[in-house]
């Protein structure tokens, strides 16, 4: 089992590794990884009947006193009985204080541990049948090797038993005072930094409901995945918002994200670690691996998780999901009192990929009953000034919302101008209450204390209010993307192979040397999994090369073949377009001489191959991510693969639909669809190859470190694919 410098194991690297929070009774896939999470009754955590505070204090000026007071107030709000535990006190805050957990007169659902060295306390809690423990103390995996060892001991104390642990190095944000006067679906919040969750929690002050806050800290036991799964099952939760520095385990997160997708609960994430600097900071903060950022983004896309960049976007996108339903139409209409404002908003929306369709002619004719004919009403709609003295303004908004192409109305208001802005805000709120379509307002005034904003817009739980144009259009893009994802999604864990195919045993024999394979052997590996390769023969003499060329059919390609030759063309070890016996004989001599000059080592021989010219060169490969295990990539191939870097990544398991989505990410997709009179490529055959490579990644994860099929020639539609070259490296 591999470990990083802080003692974390990499579950994706070895089939014998254990995913800590998996259900030990769960079925395993062919990689040996679990297909279900370990149960965690988190209702007992968030709504305990009994709470013990270990290390409680009421000594003025001590940090423990403030925390104890906070927990007493929280316990009263949730109806829990709280027991202080501290051998140095007889009473705390007027309550009897107990010497240790064994002296508490009732079974304890939740214990909050405030002592600096919690290991001994956790042993006692486990023995007393406590359900959950929260360890506040820091100085564990985030502090280096000694801290990682101390954290490993905490994890061991909770492994396999009934005690579940939140932390260490966590805050007590789960026990904040949440507003109970806000209606509608709520945001459930998960953070690995308490401070980074504060803006989302504070959004309650502008009317955005937040129901839960899980500060997971270092995740010695409970992790992000546990809370995603739990929150997705809560009826009051409309969206899960998370600030993530790294994942404890890639498989458990994928299982939890899959569960949320099947439940129809969106997940919105800020994930740090896009840059090397961010990744280093995340490790020092929580002692966690951040994982490959492109791989994390791929996992998010596969499970419909929305990734945003900032905490402001996290709030805005989350509130949009919480307050909206499935779109009734794909179109966005911009309604403003200024032509310039409308054009600006519509431009940003279209640039973000949103549909801004023209309104139906009948809709435009009706709008012109209340809007002067010289103003544009096709979309965006310019009213020249929202009517403030009669019912015309509401009629305009209702008419736009009645257009069958429109699913979202966006009204940018760049400044307050009462009474018009007050009437506009009220008309928008009233219209939103009467429709299942989405009504968004961008309140652009930097002041933010206007009555229209504070007293009308923010008091509605149906209007979605933004402060910037950019956040509005990005949130709407996420909204439409998620609901398109939902219509196509089916869990990949339903069909993931549980047992190895017959090809696996033969493939493992080819990889048994633990060394790089030659091209010839790598192609044998591909044949084992039904991936087509050119007709070819491995030869060790010029005469044999001539005979092979005659059997294969001219023209042919000749290549040096050996296990240490990943870039043969750079060394002059590839000859193309050979059309005669004399050319083949000369090529054999030139290749073997060039191999000696290049110090290429022992050759297995020279490959004589069928030449395949017509098609689109792609690359398909396998690599490994420290957290998510084997990954499969597909992109434009050939000699420019590293120049263009046009690659999409998939993390097994995934289905054929996901492969098609991956291909849709590629800038070079047009090359496959037919460019400048070229016929379209055989996309179905390409999808089939990627699915076969995925099967290899799942079944050979312990044996194969890397696979590159480059180029994979994708022939015109109906012609299939041919793997012209391959590199395979055994573990």
């Amino acid at each position: 089992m591999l470990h990083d410098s802080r003692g974390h194991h990499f579950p994706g690297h070895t089939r014998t590794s254990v995913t800590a929070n998996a259900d030990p009774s769960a079925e395993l896939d062919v990689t040996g990884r679990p297909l279900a999470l370990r149960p965690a009754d988190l209702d007992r955590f968030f709504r305990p009947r009994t709470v013990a505070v270990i290390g409680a204090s009421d000594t003025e000026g001590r940090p423990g006193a403030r925390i104890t007071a906070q927990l007493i107030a929280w316990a009263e709000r949730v109806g829990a009985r709280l027991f202080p535990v501290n051998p140095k006190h007889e009473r705390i805050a007027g309550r009897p204080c107990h010497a240790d957990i064994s002296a508490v007169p009732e079974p304890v659902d939740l214990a909050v541990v405030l002592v600096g060295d919690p290991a001994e306390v956790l042993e006692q809690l486990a023995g007393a049948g406590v359900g959950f423990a929260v360890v506040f103390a820091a100085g564990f995996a985030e502090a280096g090797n000694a801290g990682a060892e101390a954290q490993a001991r905490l994890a061991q104390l909770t492994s396999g038993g009934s005690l579940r642990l939140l932390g260490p190095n966590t805050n007590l944000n789960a026990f904040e005072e949440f507003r109970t006067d806000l209606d509608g679906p709520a945001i459930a919040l998960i953070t690995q930094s308490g401070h980074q969750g504060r803006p989302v929690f504070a959004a309650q002050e502008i009317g955005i409901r937040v129901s839960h806050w899980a500060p997971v800290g270092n995740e010695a036991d409970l992790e992000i995945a546990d809370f995603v799964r739990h929150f997705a099952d809560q009826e009051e939760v409309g969206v899960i918002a998370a600030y993530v520095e790294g994942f404890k385990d890639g498989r458990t997160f994928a299982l939890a994200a899959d569960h949320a997708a099947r439940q129809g609960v969106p997940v919105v994430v800020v994930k740090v670690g896009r840059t090397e600097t961010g990744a280093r900071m995340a490790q020092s903060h929580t002692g966690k691996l951040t994982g490959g950022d492109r791989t994390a983004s791929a996992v998010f896309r596969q499970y419909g998780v929305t990734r945003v960049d900032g905490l402001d976007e996290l709030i805005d996108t989350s509130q949009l999901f919480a307050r909206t339903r499935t779109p009734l139409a794909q179109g966005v209409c911009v309604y403003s009192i200024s032509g310039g404002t409308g054009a600006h908003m519509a431009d940003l929306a279209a640039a973000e990929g949103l549909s801004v369709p023209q309104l139906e002619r009948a809709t435009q004719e009706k709008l012109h009953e209340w809007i002067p004919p010289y103003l544009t009403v096709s979309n965006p709609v310019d009213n020249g000034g929202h009517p403030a003295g009669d019912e015309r303004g509401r009629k305009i908004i209702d008419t736009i919302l009645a257009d069958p192409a429109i699913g979202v109305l966006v009204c940018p208001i760049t400044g307050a101008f009462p009474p018009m802005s007050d009437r506009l805000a009220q008309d928008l709120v009233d219209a939103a209450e009467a429709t299942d379509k989405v009504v968004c307002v961008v309140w652009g005034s930097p002041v933010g204390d206007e009555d229209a904003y504070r007293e009308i817009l923010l008091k509605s739980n149906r209007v979605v209010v933004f402060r910037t144009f950019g956040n509005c259009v990005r949130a709407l893009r996420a909204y439409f993307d998620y609901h398109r994802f939902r219509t196509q999604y089916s869990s990949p864990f339903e069909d993931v192979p549980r047992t190895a195919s017959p090809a696996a045993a033969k493939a493992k024999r080819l990889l048994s040397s633990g060394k790089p394979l030659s091209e010839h052997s790598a192609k044998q590996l591909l044949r084992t999994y039904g991936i087509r390769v050119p007709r070819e023969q491995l030869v060790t003499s010029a005469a044999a090369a001539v005979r092979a060329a005659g059997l294969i059919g001219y023209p042919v390609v000749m290549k040096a073949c050996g296990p240490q030759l990943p870039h043969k063309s750079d060394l002059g070890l590839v000859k193309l377009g050979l059309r005669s016996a004399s050319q083949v004989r000369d090529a054999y001599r030139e290749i073997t001489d060039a191999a000696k000059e290049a110090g290429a080592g022992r050759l297995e021989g020279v490959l004589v191959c069928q030449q395949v010219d017509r098609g689109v060169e792609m690359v398909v490969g396998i690599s490994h991510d420290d957290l998510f295990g084997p990954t499969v990539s597909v992109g434009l191939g050939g000699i420019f693969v590293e120049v263009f870097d046009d690659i999409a990544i998939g993390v097994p398991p995934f289905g054929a639909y996901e492969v098609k989505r991956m291909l849709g990410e590629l800038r070079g997709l047009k090359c496959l669809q037919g460019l400048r009179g070229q016929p379209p490529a055989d996309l179905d055959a390409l999808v089939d190859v990627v699915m076969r490579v995925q099967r290899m990644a799942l079944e050979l994860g312990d044996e194969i470190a890397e696979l590159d099929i480059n180029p994979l020639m994708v022939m015109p539609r109906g012609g299939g694919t041919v793997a012209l070259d391959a590199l395979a490296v055994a573990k």
Side-chain angles (χ1 to χ4, degrees):
M1 184 181 300
L2 300 181
H3 294 75
D4 78 340
S5 61
R6 292 172 174 82
H8 297 96
H9 68 270
F10 301 161
H13 274 293
T14 170
R15 193 165 301 167
T16 58
S17 66
V18 176
T19 300
N21 281 4
D23 184 347
S25 64
E27 190 178 7
L28 304 179
D29 69 12
V30 69
T31 70
R33 293 185 295 172
L35 295 172
L37 294 172
R38 187 169 72 172
D41 182 15
L42 290 171
D43 283 329
R44 190 180 175 192
F45 175 86
F46 287 108
R47 293 289 183 270
R49 293 161 299 181
T50 52
V51 180
V53 182
I54 315 298
S57 174
D58 59 1
T59 303
E60 188 174 350
R62 293 188 62 83
R66 178 183 56 80
I67 294 173
T68 301
Q70 175 190 349
L71 291 167
I72 289 172
W74 172 76
E76 290 174 352
R77 289 195 299 272
V78 301
R81 297 179 296 282
L82 185 140
F83 301 95
V85 176
N86 192 327
K88 298 179 181 179
H89 295 264
E90 291 187 2
R91 300 186 72 81
I92 288 180
R95 300 165 182 257
C97 189
H98 305 278
D100 56 38
I101 193 68
S102 65
V104 175
E106 298 183 37
V108 173
D109 289 330
L110 171 65
V112 181
V113 181
L114 304 181
V115 301
D117 184 5
E120 184 177 345
V121 173
L122 287 182
E123 287 190 71
Q124 296 170 4
L125 298 180
V130 174
F132 290 90
V134 179
V135 172
F136 180 69
F140 290 88
E142 80 283 1
N145 290 337
E149 290 176 9
Q151 182 169 309
R153 185 182 175 201
L154 300 187
Q156 186 177 18
L157 289 170
T158 59
S159 176
S162 60
L163 177 66
R164 304 303 302 267
L165 169 65
L166 181 70
N169 187 27
T170 186
N171 288 316
L172 303 180
N173 307 119
F175 314 123
E176 300 277 359
E177 183 173 1
F178 294 81
R179 284 183 59 174
T180 58
D181 60 331
L182 301 175
D183 296 324
I187 297 174
L189 177 62
I190 305 169
T191 63
Q192 289 176 326
S193 166
H195 192 65
Q196 289 294 86
R198 187 61 56 185
V200 181
F201 181 77
Q204 294 175 102
E205 298 310 308
I206 58 170
I208 299 172
R209 185 182 174 203
V210 179
S211 60
H212 303 79
W213 188 351
V216 296
N218 282 14
E219 299 187 327
D221 178 31
L222 288 171
E223 58 179 298
I224 290 169
D226 293 301
F227 291 99
V228 169
R229 191 258 306 270
H230 175 75
F231 291 151
D233 289 333
Q234 305 309 302
E235 189 173 347
E236 65 188 313
V237 172
V239 61
I240 300 165
Y243 171 82
V244 178
E245 293 173 349
F247 296 108
K248 178 179 179 180
D249 184 279
R251 170 52 66 91
T252 55
F253 176 76
L255 288 168
D258 168 68
H259 182 74
R262 286 186 283 116
Q263 295 295 98
V265 178
V267 180
V268 185
V269 170
V270 170
K271 165 69 170 64
V272 300
R274 286 187 184 275
T275 66
E276 186 178 343
T277 300
R280 284 199 307 269
M281 186 61 189
Q283 285 196 12
S284 65
H285 188 191
T286 61
K288 229 174 249 81
L289 291 168
T290 55
D293 190 70
R294 290 177 71 167
T295 303
S297 289
V299 171
F300 293 158
R301 288 190 294 270
Q302 284 179 217
Y303 296 101
V305 175
T306 298
R307 185 175 189 175
V308 297
D309 289 327
L311 297 176
D312 56 334
E313 281 190 82
L314 184 65
I315 296 168
D316 283 347
T317 305
S318 296
Q319 67 143 340
L320 175 66
F321 277 125
R323 292 183 170 183
T324 56
R325 303 173 180 86
T326 303
L328 298 179
Q330 296 295 307
V332 175
C333 182
V334 177
Y335 173 62
S336 76
I337 66 164
S338 160
T341 302
H344 185 193
M345 189 81 227
D347 196 29
L348 290 173
E352 195 62 34
L354 300 175
S355 171
V356 187
Q358 284 207 349
L359 300 177
E360 287 190 343
R361 181 173 296 278
T363 301
Q364 295 185 46
E365 290 173 355
K366 196 168 184 181
L367 289 173
H368 274 308
E369 294 179 18
W370 310 296
I371 296 175
Y374 57 83
L375 293 175
T376 300
V377 296
S378 56
N379 192 10
V381 174
D382 176 9
N383 61 28
H386 187 78
D390 53 42
E391 73 284 355
R392 287 176 298 154
R394 173 66 191 278
K395 288 182 176 180
I396 291 170
I397 294 170
D398 287 343
T399 299
I400 294 170
L401 289 169
D403 190 290
I406 300 304
V408 175
L409 171 67
V410 177
C411 183
I413 305 174
T414 54
F417 37 90
M420 189 193 302
S421 54
D422 299 71
R423 182 58 185 265
L424 173 57
Q426 190 61 58
D427 285 344
L428 289 163
V429 168
D430 293 342
E433 296 291 341
T435 183
D436 286 333
K437 294 186 177 182
V438 178
V439 176
C440 298
V441 175
V442 182
W443 188 261
S445 167
V447 180
D449 63 359
E450 300 89 348
D451 285 346
Y453 176 62
R454 288 277 173 185
E455 300 301 321
I456 300 174
L457 293 173
L458 293 185
K459 290 191 174 179
S460 167
N461 65 1
R462 292 285 293 126
V463 172
V464 187
V465 184
F466 300 89
R467 297 305 304 275
T468 68
F469 287 17
N471 276 13
C472 177
V473 297
R474 285 189 291 272
L476 286 172
R477 171 66 183 268
Y479 165 72
F480 283 113
D481 284 350
Y482 175 77
H483 286 287
R484 277 192 291 269
F485 160 83
R486 279 278 298 150
T487 62
Q488 301 283 350
Y489 185 72
S490 61
S491 173
F493 293 108
E494 299 294 331
D495 298 323
V496 63
R498 272 66 166 174
T499 57
S501 67
K506 184 176 180 181
K508 288 178 181 180
R509 288 194 294 271
L510 289 169
L511 294 163
S512 61
S513 68
K515 298 177 181 178
L517 273 63
S518 68
E519 178 183 338
H520 185 59
S521 296
K523 286 178 174 176
Q524 286 182 299
L525 186 69
L526 299 184
R527 285 194 193 96
T528 301
Y529 277 86
I531 297 170
R532 180 181 165 197
V533 301
R535 298 189 302 274
E536 64 180 36
Q537 285 189 28
L538 180 66
V539 300
T540 56
S541 69
V546 171
R547 289 194 296 272
L551 291 171
I552 291 168
Y554 291 100
V556 295
V557 176
M558 292 177 64
K559 311 179 195 179
C561 184
Q564 305 295 333
L565 297 174
H567 301 294
K568 295 181 287 291
S569 58
D570 295 347
L571 302 174
L573 304 180
V574 178
K575 302 293 182 180
L576 304 174
L578 305 174
R579 297 180 176 276
S580 68
S582 61
Q583 287 181 336
V584 167
R585 276 191 293 269
D586 291 344
Y588 184 90
R589 184 184 64 256
E590 291 167 6
I591 288 172
T592 53
D593 288 347
K596 290 176 184 177
E597 287 183 23
R602 185 185 65 83
L603 295 184
E604 289 182 0
V606 173
L607 277 176
V608 182
C609 311
Q610 170 194 9
Q611 181 157 316
V612 180
D613 293 316
R614 194 179 177 209
V616 179
E617 293 187 346
M618 301 293 289
V619 59
V620 180
I622 296 172
S623 59
H624 284 268
D625 182 81
D626 290 341
L627 288 169
F628 292 100
T631 65
V632 175
S633 56
V634 59
L636 282 185
I639 61 174
F640 297 115
V641 61
E642 294 175 0
V643 175
F644 295 123
D645 192 26
D646 193 13
I647 295 289
I649 297 172
V651 180
F654 52 76
Y657 173 78
E658 178 62 21
V659 179
K660 294 175 183 176
R661 188 205 56 75
M662 290 164 61
L663 295 176
E665 286 183 22
L666 300 176
R667 300 188 302 276
L669 177 63
K670 290 182 179 179
C671 297
L672 292 164
Q673 294 171 330
L675 195 63
R676 293 189 175 184
Q678 296 298 312
D682 197 334
L683 286 176
D684 289 340
L686 175 56
V687 170
D688 179 68
V689 169
V690 176
M691 291 297 289
R692 291 175 185 274
V693 170
Q694 176 192 207
R695 186 74 186 232
M696 293 174 68
L698 287 167
E699 295 184 346
L700 306 177
D702 287 348
E703 285 80 18
I704 190 165
E706 181 182 355
L707 173 73
D708 278 311
I709 308 173
N710 183 28
L712 174 74
M713 190 69 84
V714 185
M715 311 298 283
R717 186 177 295 161
T721 64
V722 185
L724 300 187
D725 200 349
L727 167 71
V729 180
K731 281 190 176 180

